[in-house]
Amino acid sequence: MINSRSLAVLSPVLVALALAPTMAGEIVGKVKYAGNAPAPKQIPITKDQAVCGKAPHLEDSFLVAADKGVKNVVVSISDPKDGKKMPVAASNPKIDQNGCRFVPRVQIVPAGQSVDIINDDGILHNIHTWPKNNVPFNKAQPKFKKVMTELFEKPDVIKISCDVHSWMQGWVIVAGHPYFALSDDKGTFKIADVPAGTYALEYWHETLGKQTKQVIVPATGSVTADFEYAAK
Ligand SMILES: [Cu+2]
């Protein structure tokens, strides 16, 4: 029988239900490569040997694990419906120029984010961006200039290079919404808190290119969205 006491117990539950956020699930998966992993190739260091040549540079644009997992694949929803933005981080993410390479090589940042470009090498670098939607920059960073801060304003896929060291290459992926993930060295990824629904899921890799497949996100729990790139 419902009396005032049981209502008092019940009502906070009803209130909590009424205030519950949209049902959301997560997208998990593994990105693989159908072909053989490329043999590790050493990049010739043609400049600033004392700093850039300290450690061997192995080609790292296409990294495939023993079980065929592909690292540095950007997985994202291409048609989100909720208009949410990826929150800008209070402390700036970093691109470190260390041993004449960009670390990390591929990075996802929110639109509107400032990024600290660090010169740890104590030699001249010259960072150069190749955006589609943002204003490009091409700036010398002399050895005494430890940090340059740059704003990445609009959603984009931006190649970065160094005009001093031709082999240096990296990518900044500027995200317009939160539903992005970068695959780890096993090729696995997870996008959390995605409102339930049907979406186009995009896989982007700097050498393997862009592919899309449909994914249905459940109201709770997770959906597995594995993907395999064809051998090239
Ligand atoms: Cu450089």
Side-chain angles (χ1 to χ4, degrees), residues 17 34-35 54 66 78 102 104 108 114 121 124 128 132 140 144 152 180 197 201 226 228:
L17 276 177
K54 272 187 298 193
S78 43
F102 293 116
I108 299 167
S114 291
D121 281 339
L124 172 71
H128 192 163
K132 290 183 196 76
F144 54 83
F152 291 84
F180 273 78
L201 190 64
D226 294 339
E228 187 174 70

Side-chain angles (χ1 to χ4, degrees), residues 124-126 162 164-165 168:
L124 172 71
H125 286 296
N126 186 108
C162 173
V164 180
H165 308 104
M168 290 177 72

Side-chain angles (χ1 to χ4, degrees), residues 6 8 20 33 36 47 82 85 92 94-95 118 126 129 170 175-176 181 190 203 214:
S6 61
Y33 178 61
N36 293 320
K47 207 168 187 178
D82 62 359
K85 301 275 180 250
N92 292 347
K94 294 174 173 47
I95 300 170
I118 314 285
N126 186 108
T129 61
K190 178 168 105 174
Y203 305 82
Q214 194 192 68

